[in-house]
Amino acid sequence: MSTQIPALQPDNLRTATHFNDHMREWYDFLDTRINAYIKKEMLAVACSKGCGTCCHIKLDVNAHEILYLVHYVQSKLSPEMLHRVINDLRASAEAIAPLSARDHFLGRYKCGFLQDKCCAIHPARPAMCRKFNSTSLEKCRQVFSPDSSDLSQRPEDKDLDDIASDMINNFDDGIKRAGYDSTLYEINQAVLLALESGGCLERWLAGKKILPDRVKAKQFSTETCERIKKRRDELLALSITKK
């Protein structure tokens, strides 16, 4: 499956219109490649509208995705839905702000965009959401339950996850090489602040950071990352043995 991403040049992103068009092109490209893989491999995807199980985990997204989300909620959501989303973004942001990365993950805080068990910004959802396609609802519920402390489980198809992750990383690297802010931000805090402060797209197009460091994504400790990697290696070895 080709992983050649849409061409990204600084001159292609001169205005808000150019930026939003490019983001739509990127998401269409990513969705097409993911859906083609699912069809080719005949994967039985367990995800369905109204589930929302994976919408209660730590989600960090790049600056350009924050900007596209801001554009979408301001131009597409009804005033009533926008009010509800902002209230929920604020509630989650205030709860998350003092936490470590691990405590945030284990706290299972609701994404502010989850409304009535459905994603209010589904057409504009971040790449990390698009690439997640669970093949087991039971495993999904087990991994994302409030009692689970195992950060290493993968309810999705490993090969699809790896392919989609490579495409996402390539696109994000292209943004960075073009001289734009590619900082990872915590989604609830960052979108809320971007909506309240304004001027973020103008700063981004000028090659500046869009938001202060206080809403940057918090990283897991080195010890936690090593433990996750070790556990994932064990699970992979076990799955190979079973085959």
Side-chain angles (χ1 to χ4, degrees), residues 6-165:
L8 177 68
Q9 299 294 334
D11 289 345
N12 293 343
L13 301 174
R14 292 187 300 271
T15 68
T17 300
H18 293 139
F19 169 79
N20 292 324
D21 287 347
H22 193 78
M23 289 299 295
R24 279 193 293 271
E25 180 186 359
W26 156 235
Y27 284 148
D28 287 346
F29 172 89
L30 182 61
D31 289 344
T32 299
R33 297 308 186 277
I34 289 173
N35 291 333
Y37 181 91
I38 290 172
K39 182 177 180 180
K40 176 176 177 290
E41 299 299 324
M42 294 185 289
L43 294 182
V45 177
C47 303
S48 61
K49 185 176 181 179
C51 176
T53 303
C54 64
C55 302
H56 293 77
I57 61 171
K58 183 178 186 292
L59 178 60
D60 304 322
V61 298
N62 291 95
H64 48 277
E65 297 196 288
I66 296 296
L67 296 174
Y68 192 63
L69 286 171
V70 169
H71 159 73
Y72 185 86
V73 301
Q74 290 179 329
S75 62
K76 301 296 184 181
L77 298 190
S78 67
E80 178 187 0
M81 180 57 73
L82 179 59
H83 179 73
R84 290 175 59 186
V85 163
I86 288 176
N87 283 343
D88 283 1
L89 287 172
R90 191 183 312 281
S92 292
E94 290 175 353
I96 290 165
L99 302 179
S100 67
R102 182 178 176 82
D103 287 344
H104 176 183
F105 182 92
L106 296 177
R108 303 295 191 258
Y109 294 94
K110 182 178 85 73
C111 174
F113 292 116
L114 185 64
Q115 300 293 322
D116 302 321
K117 295 186 177 182
C118 292
C119 179
I121 47 86
H122 193 265
R125 67 197 184 284
M128 293 299 288
C129 301
R130 293 169 189 269
K131 85 174 184 70
F132 186 83
N133 290 273
S134 173
T135 56
S136 169
L137 181 57
E138 181 181 355
K139 183 179 285 188
C140 231
R141 287 172 173 165
Q142 177 185 347
V143 171
F144 298 132
S145 73
D147 319 353
S148 175
S149 60
D150 189 350
L151 310 181
S152 61
Q153 296 276 5
R154 298 176 81 151
E156 71 272 44
D157 179 83
K158 179 185 181 301
D159 290 337
L160 175 57
D161 181 53
D162 290 344
I163 291 169
S165 294

